[in-house]
């Protein structure tokens, strides 16, 4: 093959190799938040595994998640024991059996910051997310990972990192790494998403 014919071939190969990289670089936090913000509500099933230092095996639970923008989030655990956590605005309601606890998040700053990470991500609220966390996004629209590091030192004493993964505007997983080494891994399967 002549040198003149080799140059276009090399250019084509280089373009084929770098085009996916350029597309990946074009996926930004702004684009992710915009896509997530379009989802006004959704429902999903989950399986959560909590890895605790004091236990030899993870504690597993499963159930349903419901979200309605901008600030309603519900986690209904069906197994191993029924439990409901409902977050509406600043109020968290926890129901276990016959017991019902109502908590104002403003009274529990660290819990509020953690919950806001999930709620702000689901709502596509970048400003609220960046108020509490330093976010970094990696991947492509089809397979992205959003890593959240707490900005507040007190919060970092509880949670080291939150990693949220997904595809387009659908969350597929949430991993929370606590400062004491315990961690929670939630797998999410969207059942339907309404606009």
């Amino acid at each position: 093959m002549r040198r003149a014919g080799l140059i276009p071939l090399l250019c084509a190969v280089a373009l084929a190799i770098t085009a996916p990289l350029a597309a990946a670089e074009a996926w930004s936090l702004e684009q992710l938040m915009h896509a997530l913000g379009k989802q006004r509500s959704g429902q999903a099933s989950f399986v959560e595994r909590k890895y605790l230092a004091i236990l030899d095996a993870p504690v597993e639970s499963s159930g349903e998640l419901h979200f309605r923008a901008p600030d309603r989030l519900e986690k209904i655990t069906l197994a191993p024991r029924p439990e409901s956590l409902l977050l509406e605005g600043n109020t968290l309601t926890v129901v276990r059996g016959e017991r019902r606890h109502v908590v104002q998040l403003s009274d529990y700053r660290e819990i509020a910051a953690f919950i806001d990470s999930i709620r702000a991500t689901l709502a596509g609220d970048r400003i609220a997310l960046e108020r509490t966390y330093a976010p970094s996004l990696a991947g492509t629209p089809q397979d992205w990972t959003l890593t959240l590091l707490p900005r507040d030192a007190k919060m970092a004493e509880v949670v080291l990192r939150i990693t949220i993964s997904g595809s387009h505007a659908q969350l597929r997983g949430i991993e929370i790494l606590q400062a004491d080494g315990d961690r929670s891994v939630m797998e999410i399967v969207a059942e339907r998403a309404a606009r």
Side-chain angles (χ1 to χ4, degrees), residues 114 133 146-150 155-156 158-164 175-179 183-184:
F114 162 70
Y133 294 93
L146 178 63
T147 303
L148 306 174
L149 301 176
M155 177 66 174
V158 179
V159 175
L160 287 180
R161 179 183 67 235
I162 298 172
T163 306
I164 303 171
E175 180 176 2
I176 301 158
L177 177 60
Q178 295 178 205
R183 68 186 174 101
S184 168

Side-chain angles (χ1 to χ4, degrees), residues 1-161:
M1 184 178 251
R2 300 173 103 178
R3 186 173 279 186
L6 188 57
I7 292 173
L9 178 62
L10 290 175
C11 287
V13 169
L15 184 61
I17 292 171
T18 59
L21 296 175
E25 290 173 14
W27 182 238
S28 68
L29 182 60
E30 184 73 28
Q31 289 170 311
L32 173 61
M33 292 291 109
H34 180 73
L36 291 169
K38 286 181 173 180
Q39 299 285 88
R40 302 308 301 159
S41 65
Q43 180 175 320
S45 59
F46 75 88
V47 174
E48 183 175 27
R49 290 174 188 85
K50 294 182 181 178
Y51 298 86
L52 308 173
I54 61 169
L55 299 176
D56 293 332
V59 176
E60 186 173 301
S61 61
S62 61
E64 300 173 355
L65 299 170
H66 302 269
F67 171 72
R68 188 177 68 235
D71 63 359
R72 187 179 195 280
L73 181 60
E74 186 173 18
K75 178 183 175 189
I76 301 169
T77 302
L78 302 172
R81 286 184 298 279
E83 175 183 80
S84 171
L85 285 88
L86 175 62
L87 176 64
E88 286 190 286
N90 187 49
T91 304
L92 175 64
T93 304
V94 180
V95 178
R96 291 183 186 123
E98 298 297 315
R99 292 186 163 172
R100 177 184 171 99
H101 303 280
V102 178
V103 175
Q104 297 305 310
L105 291 181
S106 55
D107 296 336
Y108 299 90
R109 202 169 133 235
E110 285 79 20
I111 294 172
F114 162 70
I115 289 173
D116 282 344
S117 72
I118 308 304
R119 188 164 52 182
T121 301
L122 286 170
D125 188 345
R126 182 177 181 174
I127 293 169
L129 191 63
E130 289 182 329
R131 190 175 349 193
T132 309
Y133 294 93
S136 65
L137 179 65
T140 65
Q142 297 79 21
D143 186 21
W144 52 264
T145 302
L146 178 63
T147 303
L148 306 174
L149 301 176
R151 292 187 185 277
D152 182 72
K154 293 281 282 178
M155 177 66 174
E157 290 175 7
V158 179
V159 175
L160 287 180
R161 179 183 67 235

